[in-house]
Every structure is written in C-alpha cells, then in structure tokens.
Amino acid sequence: MAPSLFLAVSILGAFFTLNAYMPQRRTGPLAIPSFLLGWLTSELPIHHIVWQAALTVLFIWAGALETSAGWLGLGLCLVSWAALINLALIARQSENVFEAGLATGLGQDYRDEIAPDWRERIERAAPPPGLTVNPFRMARGDVEVVRDIAYAPEGGKRNWLDVYKPSGGTSGAPVLLQIHGGGWTIGNKHEQALPLMHHLAAQGWICVAINYRLSPKATFPDHLVDCKRAIAWIRSEIEQHGGDPNFIAVTGGSAGGHLTAMVALTANDPEYQPGFEEVDTRVQAAVPFYGVYDFSDHYGLHANRSVVGMVGKTVLKRNPETQLDDFRRASPLHRIHADAPPFLTIHGTSDGLAAIEEARAFAQKLQATSSAAAVFVELPGTQHAFEVFHSMRTRASVLAVTRFLGWTLARAKEAS
C-alpha cells in the first residue's frame, strides 16, 4: 500500500511542478485551477520541496521503497525537486530583470536622479522580506493602519478605504493609491499589495487602499468612478494623515491593473466624475501589475476569448457584437495619449489569467505615444498575482517600484 500511495503522491507533486512551467492559458475552465496551483508553486518552490521531502521521509519509513513503484515515486520526486530549485533560481533573477527594465526605460543613471533625501531612505531602509517561512505575515510595528474610512459616505462598505502610514507620523508625504483586483466582481482592500504598502509606509509614504463597487451589481464605469472619488478624497483629506495631495501615484493588479491604467489615462474626464467634475484627478505615476488592457480584444491577444463575454455580460453589460465601441472606451489600450503620466507596467510570461501578449501591446503603444517614461518589465516564469505575499519576486518588485516612484517623485518636484 505504501509504495503505491507514495507513487501517487509523487505524481501529484510532479504535476504541480509541471503546471508551474506550463500553465493552462487557453483551456477555459482549467485556466483558474491551473493558475491557483501554478501561482503557489512558482512563488513558493522551496516550501513545496519541504512538504514533499517530509512526506517522502514518512513514506520511506513506512516501507515505500520495498517495490519498484516506490523507487519510481522517489525518482519522480528528485526530478520534481530539481525543477523546483530551477524555479527558485529563475525567481532570484527577478531583481536583475527589474533593474534592466528600469535602466532601459529611465536611463542608466536613473538612481542618481532620485532626490538625495529619498535616495537615502531607499538605501538605508530594511529590504522587504524575501522567501520567508510564513510568507503571509504582513504586520510590522513601524506601520500604522487606519481602517474603514468612508470616501463616499453614500456607498457603504464598498466605498471604504484604509490608510497605511508611518507609526511615528509624517507630513507632506507622497501618496500611493492601491486598487485591488478580483475580476471586477470580488476582492477587498486588505487582500493585495500588502508587502508594497507596508514597505513604502515604513519609508515615509502614505498608502491608501480602497474598496469599490463590484459587478454584477455595479456596471462599468462605476468601478472607475469610485477610484476617482477616492482621488477626490485624497485631494481634500490626506493632509490630515500626513500626505501630500499634490503627489499621487496609483497601482493595482489584475482588474486593479486595468483600473490603474484607466485612472491614469482618463484624468479629469467629466464622464467619469459625475458630481465632482471640478476635482483634479491627475496622477503623477501609474504602476499596473498583470492587468487587462483591451476589453474589445481588438488584436486577438486574450489568452481566453471568454474574457470578452464575461466582461460584456457582467461588467459592461453590453453586447460585443453590436456595441464594441463601448468595450474600446473602457480599454486602456485604446485610451493612450501623449500626456499620459510615467508608467511602470509589470507582467509575467506564465500568467494564466491575463495575456502577456496584451501587456506587451499596451506597453509598446504607450512607449510610442506617451511623452513620459513608459517602463515595461516582463518577468520570466511568473504567474498572475505573484506579489500578493512575500516571495523572492515580491521582494524584487517592491524594491523596483520603490525606486521607480522615487524617480517619478523627483521629476514631479522638479516640474512643480
């Protein structure tokens, strides 16, 4: 019994590893489970080796190597572990990949252009954790979180926000607005970008994480309107928390990446500011992670064509066959213009939910059109939602975003 069971468990572990290398991107219902398994495996490869090795020791103690099935299982484990170690080595290169992207997009000497006070903060700050025993531990003593502040009182919990700030207080601090993902239908402000927000707040930033109305109850552009209402709240209220209302950067992943790009590309558009048209909703920088950039799928780049149908039925509530212009208007790829703010667009090559090909097209068009910096970082072997918890890639992304924001902050101060 032990040898056969050991072989079955070994096959399962090897499947996890294989799926991390070859995620299912065009197989409809298999895409989401493939993402979930590949996400945890590719970001936590050492953890997978540990649990598999522990089980292997137990199986060997129980007599799993008494038959050829057990030896076959052990062979599969060894091959799988070697492949997992390679995943860890790929992840360790992420910092070099980010640095190469920043140097290409901003210039080889971009670090020297960061204001001396912020450069000193960046250099002396304790780096964010890498691959820890508990990658989901986020709280730290030097960061205070003020929760559940209403930014649009009539909206209920979906229009609440949290403020992350240095526990010792600050004033005149730059502000980062975080927009969560979840396919425009699920998600919450306390679930994503926590490593980034805690790291920035510890360095003196103010980070604002928001909820927004969700589909199917909400219809786009309700989601975008809420994001802009949050900017209006930051303009009027963030000084009370030590923030500078004149420097706002925006970030988010997945659906939050889409909304991040839309916020940055539709500044002061009255269509998306009903009742607060006079508020300045410009942002000084945008950092979308693994976003969706073309609801219309104009170039046929979606990993799964069902995205258009889901967006049409649930989010836009429009028919793509007869109302395709509405899909384009809601798509960052079709809203790019020369006055876009600086962008750092981040995407993984193994993303099973949002097409890397679409991110490339968005970044290329942005680079060709915008007069501001447009940096694109393509991370090898990286799944969707990779920076939600601590990992080697998360650490690299937090450091890179910190440097990019420091550079944009210096540029904004020079221009003011």
Side-chain angles (χ1 to χ4, degrees):
M1 180 65 179
S4 298
L5 186 57
F6 177 46
L7 177 59
V9 171
S10 301
I11 291 172
L12 179 63
F15 170 76
F16 285 168
T17 303
L18 179 64
N19 178 68
Y21 279 92
M22 303 174 62
Q24 300 301 303
R25 302 177 64 222
R26 300 182 182 273
T27 51
L30 291 181
I32 291 179
S34 176
F35 148 65
L36 291 171
L37 296 177
W39 169 51
L40 294 173
T41 304
S42 60
E43 292 309 306
L44 302 174
I46 305 304
H47 292 71
H48 277 264
I49 292 175
V50 169
W51 75 257
Q52 290 179 26
L55 283 178
T56 297
V57 170
L58 290 175
F59 275 116
I60 292 175
W61 177 79
L65 299 184
E66 294 175 356
T67 70
S68 58
W71 283 100
L72 178 58
L74 180 60
L76 280 173
C77 284
L78 294 175
V79 171
S80 177
W81 296 345
L84 287 170
I85 290 172
N86 187 57
L87 286 177
L89 294 175
I90 293 172
R92 284 190 64 183
Q93 293 301 312
S94 297
E95 192 165 346
N96 293 334
V97 174
F98 271 112
E99 183 60 22
L102 289 170
T104 299
L106 305 180
Q108 293 295 327
D109 299 324
Y110 79 92
R111 292 196 192 199
D112 295 335
E113 299 176 24
I114 299 173
D117 58 334
W118 282 105
R119 186 166 65 243
E120 183 182 353
R121 294 190 196 195
I122 292 171
E123 291 173 353
R124 76 165 185 255
L131 197 63
T132 63
V133 174
N134 180 8
F136 302 97
R137 180 182 175 86
M138 299 295 169
R140 47 188 298 171
D142 52 358
V143 175
E144 176 188 357
V145 185
V146 182
R147 301 193 184 277
D148 299 336
I149 301 171
Y151 66 88
E154 71 279 5
K157 293 181 179 180
R158 291 315 310 176
N159 289 140
W160 286 359
L161 57 80
D162 296 340
V163 176
Y164 294 71
K165 55 186 177 180
S167 57
T170 187
S171 64
V175 180
L176 178 73
L177 172 64
Q178 154 64 21
I179 306 170
H180 71 75
W184 307 273
T185 61
I186 59 174
N188 200 286
K189 55 186 168 57
H190 56 70
E191 296 173 345
Q192 298 170 21
L194 297 178
L196 175 61
M197 290 192 292
H198 278 93
H199 183 70
L200 286 176
Q203 290 190 42
W205 282 70
I206 300 296
C207 299
V208 177
I210 65 167
N211 282 340
Y212 53 88
R213 287 173 289 174
L214 298 173
S215 296
K217 184 176 181 179
T219 302
F220 189 87
D222 291 346
H223 324 68
L224 179 57
V225 170
D226 285 353
C227 294
K228 289 173 177 282
R229 287 189 184 279
I231 293 175
W233 181 90
I234 291 171
R235 294 280 188 222
S236 65
E237 304 294 334
I238 203 64
E239 286 184 291
Q240 298 181 30
H241 296 274
D244 177 4
N246 296 312
F247 186 94
I248 303 172
V250 60
T251 189
S254 195
H258 162 263
L259 292 169
T260 291
M262 287 295 291
V263 164
L265 295 170
T266 63
N268 298 332
D269 187 334
E271 178 182 359
Y272 305 125
Q273 297 179 208
F276 59 108
E277 294 86 352
E278 75 289 351
V279 174
D280 182 1
T281 56
R282 289 175 298 172
V283 295
Q284 282 61 59
V287 186
F289 284 80
Y290 41 86
V292 175
Y293 300 103
D294 186 9
F295 281 173
S296 71
D297 198 20
H298 179 78
Y299 299 103
L301 299 175
H302 281 183
N304 191 327
R305 277 294 298 174
S306 66
V307 171
V308 176
M310 185 281 288
V311 168
K313 180 179 180 180
T314 305
V315 182
L316 287 178
K317 303 188 176 94
R318 297 287 191 275
N319 185 344
E321 300 298 325
T322 59
Q323 298 169 299
L324 195 58
D325 284 346
D326 291 329
F327 286 73
R328 292 194 181 99
R329 283 191 56 75
S331 300
L333 184 60
H334 300 288
R335 304 301 296 264
I336 294 172
H337 53 82
D339 294 326
F343 263 80
L344 169 57
T345 304
I346 301 168
H347 216 99
T349 62
S350 295
D351 195 310
L353 299 183
I356 179 66
E357 295 85 358
E358 191 172 285
R360 288 176 187 146
F362 174 75
Q364 289 167 2
K365 186 174 180 181
L366 193 61
Q367 289 166 348
T369 306
S370 175
S371 59
V375 181
F376 179 50
V377 176
E378 186 172 315
L379 292 170
T382 304
Q383 252 293 0
H384 203 73
F386 69 89
E387 42 51 275
V388 169
F389 48 79
H390 293 301
S391 71
M392 287 181 281
R393 279 195 194 89
T394 299
R395 180 180 185 275
S397 71
V398 168
L399 293 173
V401 171
T402 301
R403 294 195 295 270
F404 173 76
L405 292 177
W407 182 87
T408 58
L409 177 61
R411 286 300 181 96
K413 295 296 185 183
E414 289 176 4
S416 62

